Amino acid sequence: MSPRAPRPATVPADRLARPRIRQALRTVRLLVGCYAALSVLTLGAVVLLRDHPGTVTDAVWVRTVIVVVTSLLMVSFAARTARGHGRSYLRLRVASAVMVAVIAAVVVLPGAFPAWLKIEQGACGVLLAGVVLFANGARVRAVFAGR
């Protein structure tokens, strides 16, 4: 049995230049950018409403800060993926799928968060579900698998 040759860290530019791949990666970057923008705006609203304990709880503070940090990491993953970095592509796929699952739990579990945050998280979930769909599409997967 011979050892496998290591896969290159970066996808060749000619494969990334295919119109459908470019469009899919552009859509992923747009969706992740909207997720990050919504997350930052929500944190801004939390800061502005900090004196309203019924609206902004400790759990809201923790959740919004975590979401902003993860959204900014995902912006980095999406940008590097669009440049052909294989590890960033894997990170994007995993992070977006995990975040969709976590957001679903936040939205459906009673009591932990106020309704306004659940609505915002639902919107984030919709954006990230689009990321999951586009990033896991057969064509994009094939480009990063080296086919």
Side-chain angles (χ1 to χ4, degrees):
M1 203 186 303
S2 65
R4 284 178 140 179
R7 254 192 250 171
T10 306
V11 171
D14 63 320
R15 282 196 264 155
L16 290 173
R18 297 174 187 164
R20 288 187 175 169
I21 301 304
R22 272 196 340 253
Q23 182 59 44
L25 295 177
R26 187 178 305 124
T27 301
V28 165
R29 287 176 51 199
L30 175 67
L31 290 169
V32 170
C34 289
Y35 167 58
L38 181 56
S39 300
V40 169
L41 289 171
T42 301
L43 181 58
V46 166
V47 169
L48 291 174
L49 297 171
R50 67 186 173 271
D51 294 328
H52 301 285
T55 304
V56 177
T57 63
D58 289 342
V60 169
W61 274 105
V62 171
R63 178 72 190 152
T64 54
V65 169
I66 289 171
V67 170
V68 167
V69 170
T70 60
S71 72
L72 296 176
L73 282 171
M74 289 187 63
V75 167
S76 170
F77 300 158
R80 290 179 52 88
T81 296
R83 292 192 302 266
H85 292 263
R87 286 187 180 236
S88 291
Y89 171 63
L90 177 61
R91 289 176 183 132
L92 177 72
R93 289 178 63 199
V94 170
S96 60
V98 167
M99 288 303 297
V100 167
V102 170
I103 288 169
V106 165
V107 170
V108 299
L109 290 177
F113 299 100
W116 72 267
L117 187 69
K118 289 183 177 198
I119 293 167
E120 181 270 346
Q121 286 291 280
C124 287
V126 168
L127 293 167
L128 290 179
V131 172
V132 170
L133 289 174
F134 281 96
N136 289 292
R139 286 186 178 97
V140 175
R141 278 195 336 266
V143 164
F144 281 92
R147 294 185 217 150

